[in-house]
């Protein structure tokens, strides 16, 4: 059981930009992502969340939300442009996702990244109680653990990377690779989604920094840093309970009627991001329509593409390409009142999203690369009737756990089409057996098990101080 006070440090605060009529803020819940993972853990636990409130200029004073203290970190317009849009999302994000888009490197972006990470570290140092736990989240803040250790050596510091960590040959491209590695190594425990990511990190610590490293421990000066895989989870019970509510089931029935009562509904829910494989999925679906393997009257695709990083040029281009594809497919294959694709570029509230999960006979989650993908897990948890087929990319972290899904290589267009047809045509017994196994896995590996595993390992990490790992 965790005894030390907890401080979470993340790029964004977990709140809506809007204020409720009573003046209160609410948790920001979007499909997948950091907030969906940590919200169930913190909503009943005294804690402080250090993060950016979403606007530029002075940091606003915010009230507690569900008992969690909100401590805001200010970003200027220049910080937002060069740190967030620049180094975080135009340098690190594409590189960490297999360089699906070419990373960009600019010295002023790195300067902003350093500056903002220092600001976050100082805010965390002020918020943490003596001897407390600080849990730093994700690629925006990779320098914070090292900076925080310099400010507050009394703290137990954890770092968790929610996105993939690339193989050495990709990471070595970074002009500031040593600084990023040393920043992460300021933590006592570094968590990754998959064991391969921990292996990649250990290789780089040895190659770039000359440190003694295994896939579990890395010697840094007089400390030992623990590393490992802690696959992030969801609140399975909460999701299942929400899906079982009568009003959600009623909404699902109405949605199916609104879709024209098709035999099969395919659903995809993604952020508008080039890593999510949206274009490849749409192309595969178009070819299935063209070949006659899928017919509009019998099958409908619902594509939810939540807006993301609208000011970044690559994302604007992607949105235009996706919308052009959707328009072309509907123009070629749709009928009056019967579009081939229902395209929704908007966020959904929790209940509406779960109703969509219940409508979907096939959930298509086919990213080109993803750290985990909680949407896949949410879909499985929401299928309280034991039906539904999950089409899942081999390159999503969730594929290592949800092995009974229909696994596909999203880069292989023919394989993607075959996988989609297999999910659409599967018999009820096969679908039920696969779903039952996946639901049982999620019931035993939920958000509480994930948090307990990581935080227990972080609490124990102090016992390793002064011990160095043996060389491999």
């Amino acid at each position: 059981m965790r005894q030390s006070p907890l401080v979470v440090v993340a790029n964004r605060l977990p709140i809506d930009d809007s204020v409720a009529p009573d003046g209160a803020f609410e948790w920001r819940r979007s499909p997948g992502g950091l907030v969906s993972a940590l919200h169930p853990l913190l909503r009943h636990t005294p804690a402080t969340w250090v993060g950016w409130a979403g606007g530029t200029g002075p940091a606003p004073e915010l009230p507690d939300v569900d008992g969690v203290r909100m401590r805001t970190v200010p970003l200027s317009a220049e910080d937002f442009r060069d740190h967030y849009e620049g180094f975080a999302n135009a340098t690190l994000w594409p590189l960490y996702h297999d360089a699906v888009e070419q990373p960009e490197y600019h010295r002023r972006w790195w300067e902003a990244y350093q500056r903002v990470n220092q600001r976050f570290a100082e805010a965390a140092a002020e918020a943490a109680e003596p001897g407390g736990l600080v849990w730093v989240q994700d690629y925006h803040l990779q320098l914070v653990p090292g900076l925080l250790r310099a400010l507050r050596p009394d703290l137990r510091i954890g770092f968790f990377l929610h996105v993939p960590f690339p193989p050495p040959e990709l990471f070595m491209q970074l002009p500031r690779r040593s600084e990023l590695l040393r920043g992460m190594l300021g933590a006592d425990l570094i968590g990754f989604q998959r064991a391969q990511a921990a292996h990649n990190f250990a290789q780089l610590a040895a190659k770039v920094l000359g440190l003694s490293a295994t896939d579990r421990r890395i010697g840094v000066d007089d400390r030992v840093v623990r590393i490992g895989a802690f696959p992030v989870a969801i609140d399975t019970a909460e999701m299942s309970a929400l899906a079982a509510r009568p009003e959600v089931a009623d909404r699902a029935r109405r949605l199916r009627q609104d879709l024209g009562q098709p035999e099969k509904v395919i659903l995809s829910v993604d952020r508008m991001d080039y890593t999510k494989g949206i274009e490849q999925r749409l192309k595969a679906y178009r070819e299935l329509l063209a070949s006659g393997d899928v017919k509009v009257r019998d099958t409908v695709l619902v594509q939810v593409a939540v807006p993301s990083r609208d000011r970044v040029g690559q994302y604007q281009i992607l949105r235009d390409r996706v919308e052009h594809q959707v328009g072309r497919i509907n123009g070629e294959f749709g009928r009056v009142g019967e579009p081939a694709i229902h395209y929704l570029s908007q966020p959904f509230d929790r209940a509406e999203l779960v109703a969509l999960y219940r409508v979907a006979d096939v959930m298509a989650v086919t990213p080109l690369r993803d750290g985990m993908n909680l949407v896949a897990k949410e879909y499985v948890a929401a299928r309280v009737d034991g039906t539904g087929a999950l089409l899942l990319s081999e390159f999503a972290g969730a594929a290592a756990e949800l092995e009974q899904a229909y696994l596909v290589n999203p880069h292989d267009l023919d394989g993607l089409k075959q996988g989609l047809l297999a999910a659409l045509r599967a018999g009820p017994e096969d679908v039920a057996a696969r779903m039952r196994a996946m639901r049982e896995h999620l019931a035993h590996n939920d958000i509480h098990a994930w948090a307990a595993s990581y935080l227990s390992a972080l609490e124990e990490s102090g016992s390793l101080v002064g011990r160095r790992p043996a060389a491999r």
Side-chain angles (χ1 to χ4, degrees):
M1 180 71 91
R2 180 174 58 82
Q3 301 295 328
S4 303
L6 177 64
V7 175
V8 171
V9 187
N11 177 63
R12 280 295 304 270
L13 292 173
I15 55 174
D16 283 320
D17 295 330
S18 58
V19 183
D22 62 359
F25 287 88
E26 296 180 348
W27 286 85
R28 172 172 50 88
R29 301 292 296 274
S30 60
L34 174 65
V35 176
S36 294
L38 293 182
H39 174 259
L41 169 67
L42 298 180
R43 60 184 169 182
H44 301 304
T45 302
T48 298
W49 190 305
V50 175
W52 172 52
T56 57
E61 292 285 336
L62 299 178
D64 294 355
V65 179
D66 286 351
V68 178
R69 181 187 176 199
M70 299 291 153
R71 186 181 183 96
T72 56
V73 176
L75 292 187
S76 67
E78 181 183 6
D79 294 331
F80 179 75
R81 182 190 68 229
D82 293 343
H83 159 74
Y84 179 76
E85 295 182 330
F87 194 81
N89 287 311
T91 300
L92 293 180
W93 177 268
L95 188 78
Y96 284 14
H97 289 84
D98 291 351
V100 174
E101 290 283 335
Q102 182 63 36
E104 297 181 41
Y105 306 104
H106 298 286
R107 281 172 289 187
R108 75 174 187 278
W109 289 1
W110 169 248
E111 292 166 1
Y113 189 81
Q114 291 177 290
R115 181 172 67 246
V116 171
N117 273 248
Q118 181 69 42
R119 199 175 303 152
F120 273 81
E122 291 171 356
E126 292 176 5
E129 297 184 16
L133 294 184
V134 178
W135 195 0
V136 184
Q137 309 289 327
D138 226 0
Y139 65 102
H140 312 84
L141 303 175
Q142 285 177 227
L143 300 179
V144 167
L147 296 169
L148 183 58
R149 180 164 296 282
L151 293 169
R152 293 286 305 276
D154 62 300
L155 298 174
R156 195 72 51 81
I157 303 169
F159 180 81
F160 190 84
L161 189 68
H162 292 259
V163 300
F165 190 80
E169 56 268 23
L170 273 180
F171 190 87
M172 291 290 286
Q173 296 179 19
L174 281 169
R176 298 293 184 168
R177 59 200 185 194
S178 298
E179 291 93 325
L180 286 166
L181 292 173
R182 287 201 175 276
M184 294 171 69
L185 287 166
D188 296 290
L189 174 66
I190 304 173
F192 300 92
Q193 300 278 22
R194 302 183 71 171
Q196 182 61 50
H199 176 71
N200 292 344
F201 185 83
Q203 285 188 306
L204 282 159
K207 181 173 184 177
V208 176
L209 302 179
L211 299 176
S212 176
T214 73
D215 288 0
R216 298 181 63 185
R217 300 176 184 178
I218 300 174
V220 183
D221 300 325
D222 61 345
R223 300 185 300 115
V224 169
V225 178
R226 294 180 63 178
I227 65 175
F230 300 85
V232 71
I234 64 169
D235 190 336
T236 307
E238 184 261 352
M239 174 59 67
S240 296
L242 178 56
R245 288 182 186 175
E247 62 271 25
V248 172
D250 289 343
R251 178 57 181 152
R253 283 189 288 270
R254 291 197 303 272
L255 282 169
R256 198 171 196 100
Q257 290 174 356
D258 292 343
L259 293 171
Q261 293 289 10
E263 291 181 17
K264 297 288 185 178
V265 175
I266 306 166
L267 173 66
S268 288
V269 178
D270 310 279
R271 285 190 308 103
M272 182 64 79
D273 192 288
Y274 49 78
T275 67
K276 300 301 182 183
I278 300 173
E279 291 180 281
Q280 290 82 354
R281 189 187 311 137
L282 291 175
K283 185 174 182 181
Y285 192 64
R286 181 188 176 278
E287 291 191 7
L288 288 174
L289 289 169
S291 67
D293 288 300
V294 171
K295 294 180 172 57
V296 169
R297 185 156 293 175
D298 301 328
T299 305
V300 65
L301 170 63
V302 179
Q303 173 65 65
V304 177
V306 179
S308 173
R309 302 167 190 158
D310 285 342
R311 296 195 349 170
V312 178
Q314 291 169 324
Y315 289 80
Q316 295 169 358
I317 294 169
L318 173 66
R319 183 192 61 210
D320 291 343
R321 289 202 308 250
V322 166
E323 292 178 355
H324 175 76
Q325 271 188 282
V326 171
R328 179 187 176 194
I329 293 169
N330 280 335
E332 288 185 30
F333 301 102
R335 299 182 179 89
V336 175
E338 291 182 338
I341 299 173
H342 290 257
Y343 173 74
L344 303 164
S345 179
Q346 57 190 265
F348 281 79
D349 67 39
R350 196 74 168 158
E352 186 80 357
L353 182 62
V354 175
L356 280 170
Y357 289 156
R358 290 206 56 173
V359 169
D361 302 289
V362 175
M363 184 80 200
V365 181
T366 58
L368 305 178
R369 171 65 73 184
D370 220 335
M372 176 52 60
N373 197 292
L374 297 183
V375 167
K377 294 187 174 185
E378 289 179 349
Y379 174 73
V380 171
R383 301 302 299 191
V384 291
D385 61 358
T387 66
L390 174 62
L391 183 75
L392 183 60
S393 167
E394 298 170 353
F395 304 112
E401 298 179 77
L402 304 179
E403 297 175 342
Q404 296 79 16
Y406 295 87
L407 298 176
V408 294
N409 175 1
H411 301 273
D412 176 6
L413 199 62
D414 290 332
L416 182 54
K417 289 159 58 180
Q418 291 166 8
L420 185 53
L421 286 177
L424 285 168
R425 295 171 177 175
E429 291 184 1
D430 181 46
V431 167
R434 290 169 181 260
M435 184 57 68
R436 181 168 58 251
M438 291 188 290
R439 285 179 58 80
E440 287 175 359
H441 174 82
L442 292 188
H444 292 96
N445 296 274
D446 66 358
I447 187 69
H448 306 290
W450 172 70
S453 174
Y454 183 90
L455 292 174
S456 293
L458 180 56
E459 286 276 20
E460 294 167 3
S461 62
S463 63
L464 295 173
V465 171
R467 294 168 53 190
R468 305 183 70 85
R472 287 177 295 176

